[in-house]
Each structure stands twice: as C-alpha cells, then as structure tokens.
Amino acid sequence: MCSEPTRRGRGLAMKILVTGGAGFIGSNFLNLMAPRHPDHLFINVDKLTYAANLFSLKDIEHLPNYVFEKIDIADPEAVMAVFRRYEPDRVIHFAAESHVDRSIMEPARFIWTNVVGTFNLLEACRMTWGRKEGRLFHHVSTDEVYGFLGETGGYFTEETKYDPSSPYSASKAASDHLVRSYYKTFGLPIEITNCSNNYGPRQFPEKLIPLMILNALEERPLPIYGKGQNVRDWLYVEDHCEAIWTVIEKGRVSETYNIGGNSEKTNLEVVQAICRILAEETGRPAEDFEKLITFVPDRPGHDFRYAIDASKIKRELGWAPKESFESGLRKTVRWYLQNRDWVEKVRTDEYRRWLAVNYSERTRLDAGD
Ligand code: NAD
Ligand code: TYD
C-alpha cells in the first residue's frame, strides 16, 4: 500500500518514477541524479527484496525531491495506485530479479517480476498517459538478451538477434519485446538500453566482483566457475547511470542503445586484478589473496563471452565511459573497504543461506580438469 501522497512534487519540472531504486544500479542512479536535479521529483518504488538496501539511499532520503514507496510491481493494483497518486511523466525501470545463478535455482520469481512486473508498468503508462506529450518509459535491460559470443571477434550490436540462455536473460528478453510492442501497438513512447556487466559501490555481494572482494578480505575461497576463461565486458556503474540520463535527455523514442565499457576481461583476470588492488590498498602481499582462488564446477548454460559495440550511443548521443577498468575497480575496492557498515547490513540470514546453497554443492575442481 502507498503511504500519504506527498505535495513535494507540485510544480516540479518532471516526476520521474524509478523502479528498483533500492538495488545496485537504481541506488547509484538516485544518489547521482536526485541531488543534481533538485527540480525533478524522484519517486523510488521498490519491493525491497533481498537485493535491496535502503541504507544505500541514506545520503538522499532527506531530500525534498525524493520519495520512497514500497510496492511489488507484480501487483497491478499497487502499480496503478502509485501512478494515480504521483502521475509520473517518466518511468525509469530498473526493478528486476537480476542474478543468473538464482534464476537457475528459482526461475518463477524472474517471470513474475521481470515479465509480469514490466507488463503492469506498461499497462499503467498506457492507461494514464494516453497520447499526452513529454512522457517516456525507459527500460533498463542487459546485453545477456543477445546470448553469447565466441572467443574472438564479434560484438553485440543493436541489431543482434535475441538468443537468451538463462531464465534471467530470457525473462529480460521477454520484457524487452513487451516494451517494444507497446510502442508499435499503442504508440507508447519508449526507449531501451542494453548494458554490459556493471560493477561499483553498493552491489550486492552475490555478484562476481563484490563477492570476491569480501571473500578475499575474510580469507574465504574465491570461487571461480569452470576455468575462469569466460569473458565479460565491465562498466563502472556511474558510467551506466550517466548513459541512461543521456539517453533520456537526448535519445530518440523507440530506439535501442547498447551501453558497454569496452573492457573485456576473463573472470580469472578480474579476480587477479582484485587481489592485486587489495594488496596495494591494504599493504599485504598479493599472494595472501591469490592463494584463495578456487576453481569450482561451472554454471549450467554459462555464456562464454559478452562484448558490446557501444558505437551508436557514442556517435549519436556523445556518451562514452569515463572510468577505465583499473580506475573503476580501485574505486570499488576502496568503497568496500570503507563501507563495512553497509556490508554488515546486507549480510542477512537470507544471504548466508544463498552462499550455502550456491557454493556448498560446488566441489573443488582442478584448473586442468
Ligand atoms: P539488483 O538486483 O541489485 O536490484 C534490483 C532491485 O529491484 C532491488 O532493489 C529489488 O528490491 C527490486 N525489485 C525486485 N523485484 C521487485 C518487484 N517485484 N517489485 C519492485 N521492486 C523489485 O539489480 P541491478 O543490478 O541494480 O539491476 C538493475 C537493472 O539493470 C535490472 O533490470 C537488470 O536487468 C539491469 N542490468 C543489470 C546489470 C548488472 O550488471 N547488474 C547489467 C545490465 C543491466
Ligand atoms: P555475475 O556477476 O553473476 O554476472 P553475470 O552472470 O550476469 O555475467 O558473474 C560474472 C561472471 O563471473 C560470470 O561469467 C560467472 C562468473 N562467476 C564466478 O566465476 N564465480 C562466482 O562466484 C560468481 C558469482 C560468478
């Protein structure tokens, strides 16, 4: 249920509904954009799943142009109630179940949130916006909808055929199709961005980079799936947030823009870089961390390589990432070293259960197996 409506939105330039704003990318987006754009009202709607953390928003929660509503986007009435209450002009849709490994264990939630939740938001837009000017539904999606690439050459472009591998990427692909269909069928003003792997502050430590940083600091194994040769294209989260804002301001309605970091790394290279930076930041030898690297059985259906061709957004809208992998990773390591209170808050019983379920079954493998 929604709380009392705020009057804070009156007279503001834009009312921007941000879904999933208590998660990793959404909270980084709000921390950047709410202070920078005091004329806009940012309405954060989030179900507060295990992946959410309101503590990530502590620096902006007092701002007059920020409000929070706890709702489940899979509940159509709750979504409509928020639309009636705030009459948003823009929707920036981050909310999703986002972890591939969890989608292998529990796919149903991914369908509810990623497909049905997106549908509910689109319906609310269709019913309340009609043909009003200045409205926009921005759908935040992933490069994983495109499937996977071979070892060398080739990039995902905006024209690459969809070929998702996991229940996560299939549910995101389904949501992308729904979003496009609402433009083609109903003329709803939409745009989609498909981004590569993000990393940075406030990422839940089930994902590769924060998991490895925290395990290394606590002298626990660094579990690399298979032989660690899978490749991801890494982008610092604030660069992603700036890209989304650029697309909202300058992008063309109905277009898709790929966003990437031009930073392809094997998982083993990523973990070795984390060990090196941790050593430099803590004054300990890198071997203290590297000796924790443990090869564990591979993820089923593990996509080999993702790599984004981000030339369209650069050419048409002038966006390019500011951080290199080296500078972004150092910022990230420092953030986790300096924000132990945040880390303790996400270490819930649910988190411990997840680690036990996902990793206890993965027995040690020799790298050469
Ligand atoms: P996250 O898992 O950290 O956060 C997701 C947020 O959505 C959480 O706050 C959660 O509580 C909320 N949420 C989940 N189900 C909900 C529901 N039913 N109703 C309302 N809120 C709900 O995810 P993230 O990494 O911040 O990803 C955000 C978006 O960006 C997702 O759509 C994801 O597909 C996309 N994306 C992520 C990456 C990445 O590397 N993390 C890369 C490309 C695209
Ligand atoms: P992840 O952060 O889960 O993102 P995604 O699956 O969306 O790319 O994983 C990034 C890569 O790291 C992926 O190839 C799987 C691998 N990985 C490991 O090797 N060990 C781990 O413990 C995790 C979580 C991921």
Side-chain angles (χ1 to χ4, degrees), residues 98-101 142-144 168 197-198 203 205-212 215 222-226 228-232 234 267-268 271 294 296 298-299 302-304 306 354 358-359 362:
S98 69
H99 189 37
V100 173
D101 292 321
T142 166
D143 59 357
E144 301 194 27
Y168 163 65
N197 283 61
N198 284 214
Q203 187 168 29
E206 63 185 353
K207 304 278 170 68
L208 181 74
I209 288 181
L211 181 91
M212 296 295 168
N215 278 16
L222 307 181
I224 299 187
Y225 298 164
Q229 294 310 304
N230 299 63
V231 174
R232 297 291 181 264
W234 293 96
N267 293 335
L268 185 57
V271 177
T294 307
V296 300
D298 213 345
R299 170 188 281 173
H302 195 173
D303 285 337
F304 183 70
Y306 302 145
W354 166 253
N358 192 42
Y359 295 101
R362 296 178 192 267

Side-chain angles (χ1 to χ4, degrees), residues 97 110 126 173 198 215 219 238 243 342 352 367:
E97 288 290 342
F110 288 70
R126 181 170 78 91
N198 284 214
N215 278 16
E219 299 186 9
E238 291 191 355
W342 184 94
R352 288 178 223 281

Side-chain angles (χ1 to χ4, degrees), residues 4 32 34 38 55 61 68 74 83 93 100-101 146 156 159 161 185 193 203 212 250 260 292 303 314 318 336 346 358:
E4 267 309 291
L32 274 181
F55 194 56
E61 64 190 7
F68 172 69
F83 269 73
H93 179 30
V100 173
D101 292 321
Y146 298 125
F156 297 135
E159 274 71 52
K161 187 168 82 60
T185 309
T193 46
Q203 187 168 29
M212 296 295 168
K250 302 200 246 167
L292 301 169
D303 285 337
K314 183 166 188 199
Y336 281 92
V346 300
N358 192 42

Side-chain angles (χ1 to χ4, degrees), residues 19-254:
T19 72
F24 165 48
I25 307 175
S27 64
N28 277 284
F29 182 86
L30 286 166
N31 273 291
L32 274 181
M33 301 305 169
R36 189 186 293 175
H37 300 283
D39 289 350
H40 300 330
L41 175 69
F42 292 84
I43 307 137
N44 175 13
V45 300
D46 198 300
K47 182 184 173 184
L48 300 183
T49 69
Y50 77 90
N53 189 351
L54 284 179
F55 194 56
S56 296
L57 297 157
K58 68 176 172 19
D59 293 342
I60 60 159
E61 64 190 7
H62 62 282
L63 293 181
N65 66 327
Y66 168 79
V67 283
F68 172 69
E69 294 283 356
K70 182 175 187 292
I71 67 151
D72 181 349
I73 58 165
D75 174 352
E77 282 166 21
V79 171
M80 269 313 291
V82 162
F83 269 73
R84 277 194 224 99
R85 187 160 302 224
Y86 292 99
E87 300 178 348
D89 316 293
R90 301 272 157 114
V91 174
I92 307 177
H93 179 30
F94 293 97
E97 288 290 342
S98 69
H99 189 37
V100 173
D101 292 321
R102 287 188 191 249
S103 81
I104 295 166
M105 301 242 186
E106 269 189 88
R109 276 205 245 162
F110 288 70
I111 305 307
W112 277 110
T113 291
N114 300 1
V115 184
V116 177
T118 303
F119 167 72
N120 289 337
L121 289 163
L122 290 165
E123 276 291 277
C125 292
R126 181 170 78 91
M127 290 195 229
T128 58
W129 287 354
R131 296 261 166 198
K132 284 183 203 144
E133 287 293 307
R135 305 296 187 267
L136 183 66
F137 184 94
H138 182 104
H139 184 53
V140 180
S141 192
T142 166
D143 59 357
E144 301 194 27
V145 297
Y146 298 125
F148 66 96
L149 296 162
E151 200 155 341
T152 51
Y155 293 90
F156 297 135
T157 72
E158 288 81 359
E159 274 71 52
T160 301
K161 187 168 82 60
Y162 276 30
D163 188 17
S165 307
S166 69
Y168 163 65
S169 51
S171 66
K172 290 296 292 188
S175 67
D176 290 12
H177 290 318
L178 268 175
V179 171
R180 284 198 187 92
S181 79
Y182 269 64
Y183 171 73
K184 290 183 187 161
T185 309
F186 304 114
L188 194 81
I190 62 101
E191 54 191 26
I192 300 180
T193 46
N194 293 85
C195 188
S196 63
N197 283 61
N198 284 214
Y199 67 99
R202 309 182 186 91
Q203 187 168 29
F204 192 75
E206 63 185 353
K207 304 278 170 68
L208 181 74
I209 288 181
L211 181 91
M212 296 295 168
I213 295 171
L214 297 183
N215 278 16
L217 284 172
E218 284 152 24
E219 299 186 9
R220 286 185 277 124
L222 307 181
I224 299 187
Y225 298 164
K227 294 177 182 169
Q229 294 310 304
N230 299 63
V231 174
R232 297 291 181 264
D233 170 12
W234 293 96
L235 180 70
Y236 189 65
V237 63
E238 291 191 355
D239 279 325
H240 185 190
C241 297
E242 299 288 0
I244 291 170
W245 194 265
T246 302
V247 174
I248 289 165
E249 292 222 303
K250 302 200 246 167
R252 283 179 289 137
V253 167
S254 84

Side-chain angles (χ1 to χ4, degrees), residues 140 167 228 252 272 285 337 341:
V140 180
R252 283 179 289 137
Q272 285 167 335
L337 285 170
D341 49 350

